[in-house]
Amino acid sequence: MQQKTIQIAYLTYPHQEVSESLQQVVQSAIEASDYAYAPYSNFRVGAAVLLENGLIIKGNNQENAAYPSGLCAERVALFYANANYPDVPVKAIAITAFNTHGMISTPVAPCGSCRQVLLESETRYQQAIKIILIAKDTIVEFQSAADLLPNNFNASYLKA
Ligand code: THU
């Protein structure tokens, strides 16, 4: 028997240290949460996707009285980007969330389904997607969707 270890490096820094190239996508994610439709959870999530051509696409969570019919902010933004700009790779996604007390103090962790969808985009465009998680006092930055989903199911299994 062998024990193996998976190690994932990520960055964490205060808001004022966000790189210039990511400032706009971070701000857009915060803005996007304003238009969330979250009457059931009161948990308003904002996501913003930065495309390779510089365009920024905003999304937010869209809830439904039939709960499973809703969709997370990340997938709203990403599917819109993929649907309307199918030839433009995704460079980064910034995500934040507000509860009834304001911006959350722990960076929001994208759900499993969103991680899987982010991974598909990464595979599709053969380009790593930076994942930027924004909390009240800190920002966490992963360099790739695969870092959020080690040992993932992906297209390579279907080709074997
Ligand atoms: N939600 C997101 O939009 N993104 C996440 O990463 C986590 C959860 C939404 C789904 C639902 O509308 C609300 O947050 C509570 O789960």
Side-chain angles (χ1 to χ4, degrees), residues 38 41 43 45 60-63 71-74 95 108-111 114:
S41 68
F43 190 70
V45 186
N60 37 49
N61 51 332
Q62 298 294 320
E63 297 187 347
L71 197 63
C72 292
E74 295 90 323
I95 309 155
V108 68
C111 79
C114 287

Side-chain angles (χ1 to χ4, degrees), residues 7-113:
Q7 263 193 328
I8 294 160
Y10 60 92
L11 302 172
T12 169
Y13 47 83
H15 282 243
Q16 61 268 28
E17 281 179 29
V18 69
S19 69
E20 213 182 310
S21 60
L22 296 177
Q23 277 171 8
Q24 219 187 327
V25 73
V26 164
Q27 192 49 41
S28 299
I30 297 168
E31 287 165 15
S33 66
D34 282 346
Y35 300 118
Y37 178 64
Y40 304 104
S41 68
N42 285 314
F43 190 70
R44 309 168 67 81
V45 186
V49 168
L50 172 64
L51 298 180
E52 188 62 45
N53 63 8
L55 263 178
I56 291 179
I57 308 293
K58 293 180 193 172
N60 37 49
N61 51 332
Q62 298 294 320
E63 297 187 347
N64 195 285
Y67 289 3
S69 301
L71 197 63
C72 292
E74 295 90 323
R75 276 176 288 162
V76 169
L78 204 58
F79 284 152
Y80 183 93
N82 293 162
N84 290 283
Y85 303 95
D87 299 326
V88 189
V90 174
K91 262 179 96 165
I93 184 168
I95 309 155
T96 191
F98 290 74
N99 59 27
T100 49
H101 304 291
M103 188 185 281
I104 53 168
S105 44
T106 307
V108 68
C111 79
S113 297

